[in-house]
Amino acid sequence: MSRSERSPLLLAGLLATAGVTHFAAPRSYDATIPSGLPGSPRAWTYASGVVELALAAGVVLPRTRRTAALATAAFFVGVFPANVKMALDWRHRAAPQKAAAFGRLPLQVPLVLWARSVAGSGEGRS
């Protein structure tokens, strides 16, 4: 299997893993939900998990891959405020935790580019 064939599967795996962890350990995600959003943080945590699982399913299926990968790129942009909130909330923690929280911020760029690359791979075009 070539790298281009593995890429959508790896992206789907990342999304599925993240989606499952939203249900397995929701408390850690609840803390990252910006307070200005309506509803409870837990509802946003679960909704985000459902979205990640749905995106994973869409990316793994060639017929829906392009649309799902583009939606994944948008999702990665959409969750960026939660990552910023986490970094700000963790700015007074121990150096390794602070480094991890702030280190996540620039990682959103390659995630968005990866999803766009998967979308542009030609899969899912009619």
Side-chain angles (χ1 to χ4, degrees):
M1 180 179 286
S2 73
R3 184 176 188 202
S4 65
E5 292 171 326
R6 283 191 314 263
S7 188
L9 300 178
L10 292 171
L11 180 60
L14 174 75
L15 289 163
T17 300
V20 167
T21 63
H22 279 70
F23 295 96
R27 188 176 301 156
S28 61
Y29 291 99
D30 293 347
T32 69
I33 305 299
S35 60
L37 292 175
S40 72
R42 183 61 50 94
W44 284 99
T45 295
Y46 287 156
S48 180
V50 167
V51 169
E52 285 175 317
L53 291 170
L55 290 170
V59 167
V60 83
L61 298 171
R63 184 174 179 179
T64 56
R65 182 167 296 149
R66 184 179 190 309
T67 300
L70 289 173
T72 297
F75 178 80
F76 287 150
V77 171
V79 299
F80 188 72
N83 292 341
V84 170
K85 181 182 184 307
M86 179 182 172
L88 292 174
D89 289 349
W90 286 25
R91 70 185 177 275
H92 301 299
R93 291 195 178 192
Q97 291 175 316
K98 184 170 33 175
F102 279 94
R104 287 180 58 173
L105 299 178
L107 288 177
Q108 290 301 115
V109 173
L111 287 173
V112 170
L113 295 175
W114 183 17
R116 288 177 46 111
S117 172
V118 168
S121 69
E123 297 288 350
R125 294 184 184 175
S126 358

